């Protein structure tokens, strides 16, 4: 069944084909369909198991066929992708985990690279930001952008806490992902010049 939970509506769950197993009248697990294997999450405790031969690749791409979008958002969790879709009405897909992120994006490189803009929306923690940096390096940095999530851990956290407007602002203000060592703005140039002058005076 499509049972709304964690802020996600039936519409969003249907879009991503996220089904809940119900025994009697009690939801017991949630199933994420990767179109080749199933990833099942227990609701009683945070445990997962895989049904079918697991392969590298993104969750949610069947909801948005290649060529149907100019912008694609990449998230770190299966529930974050429909959360982004629900909040900003933009196509979003998910990697299987932060440690698997690069493999998944490489497996679906042509799919992702068909977009004009790739927006990264990984978890606001060390593992998520490390994965975000590695994924960004796969693509032309001129098309890669990043959402700064300063107040919540992930997209679903914003949705669950009814903090949608904050996320929408963060999405609207997504900045181009600039590789380390590359200067991309006048303010950064000014800072460098000011620091150089200060050092030379000292």
């Amino acid at each position: 069944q499509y049972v709304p939970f964690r802020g996600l509506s039936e519409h969003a769950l249907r879009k991503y084909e996220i089904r809940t197993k119900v025994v009697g009248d009690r939801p017991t697990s949630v199933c994420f369909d990767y179109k080749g294997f199933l990833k099942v999450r227990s609701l009683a405790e945070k445990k997962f198991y895989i049904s079918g031969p697991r392969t590298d690749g993104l969750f949610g791409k069947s909801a948005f066929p290649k060529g149907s979008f100019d912008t694609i958002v990449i998230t770190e969790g299966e529930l974050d992708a429909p959360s982004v879709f629900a909040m900003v009405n933009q196509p979003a897909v998910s990697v299987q985990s932060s440690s698997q992120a690069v493999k998944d994006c490489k497996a679906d490189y042509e799919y992702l690279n068909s977009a004009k803009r790739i927006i990264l929306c990984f978890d606001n923690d060390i593992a998520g930001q490390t994965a975000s940096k590695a994924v960004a390096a796969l693509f032309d940095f001129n098309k890669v952008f990043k959402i700064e999530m300063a107040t919540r851990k992930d997209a679903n956290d914003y949705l669950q806490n009814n903090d949608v407007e904050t996320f929408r602002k963060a999405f609207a203000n997504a900045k181009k992902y600039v590789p380390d060592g590359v200067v991309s703005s006048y303010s950064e140039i000014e800072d460098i010049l000011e620091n150089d002058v200060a050092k030379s005076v000292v």
Side-chain angles (χ1 to χ4, degrees):
Q1 301 178 29
Y2 293 104
V3 180
F5 77 113
R6 290 185 63 171
L8 290 165
S9 67
E10 181 180 340
H11 171 68
L13 295 172
R14 282 186 179 277
K15 180 71 174 177
Y16 284 80
E17 299 181 74
I18 299 174
R19 295 178 175 88
T20 297
K21 182 178 180 179
V22 179
V23 178
D25 60 353
R26 185 172 63 90
T28 60
S29 60
V30 176
C31 177
F32 305 104
D33 190 348
Y34 276 83
K35 305 304 178 185
F37 69 91
L38 302 176
K39 182 177 179 180
V40 182
R41 174 177 176 168
S42 169
L43 292 176
E45 51 187 334
K46 193 175 181 180
K47 286 187 176 181
F48 298 90
Y49 72 85
I50 302 297
S51 175
R54 184 172 187 167
T55 56
D56 298 338
L58 301 164
F59 170 74
K61 62 181 183 289
S62 60
F64 309 99
K66 180 181 176 182
S68 67
F69 52 83
D70 289 329
T71 298
I72 190 79
V73 181
I74 307 175
T75 70
E76 189 180 328
E78 288 92 356
L79 295 180
D80 294 320
S83 296
V84 169
F85 173 73
M87 291 188 287
V88 297
N89 195 33
Q90 286 289 331
V93 293
S94 172
V95 297
Q96 296 177 44
S97 66
S98 58
S99 60
Q100 178 75 18
V102 170
K103 289 181 179 179
D104 292 335
C105 291
K106 282 184 176 179
D108 284 316
Y109 178 85
E110 294 301 326
Y111 173 84
L112 294 170
N113 202 46
S114 67
K116 293 179 180 177
R117 292 207 316 160
I118 299 170
I119 302 179
L120 306 180
C121 185
F122 283 64
D123 289 6
N124 188 22
D125 56 22
I126 293 175
Q129 294 311 299
T130 300
S132 179
K133 182 178 179 180
V135 168
L138 299 176
F139 305 96
D140 179 350
F141 74 87
N142 286 305
K143 67 163 60 180
V144 181
F145 293 76
K146 180 183 176 184
I147 297 175
E148 296 291 347
M149 297 189 292
T151 59
R152 304 285 179 187
K153 179 179 180 291
D154 54 37
N156 184 249
D157 199 15
Y158 281 89
L159 185 63
Q160 283 193 83
N161 287 282
N162 296 313
D163 202 3
V164 175
E165 284 306 313
T166 301
F167 183 85
R168 286 174 177 166
K169 289 178 182 178
F171 176 83
N173 293 319
K175 294 181 179 179
K176 188 173 291 186
Y177 200 106
V178 181
D180 291 343
V182 175
V183 178
S184 64
S185 68
Y186 289 115
S187 61
E188 289 178 318
I189 293 172
E190 288 175 350
D191 289 340
I192 291 170
L193 291 175
E194 287 176 2
N195 288 333
D196 284 346
V197 170
K199 289 177 183 177
S200 64
V201 171
V202 173

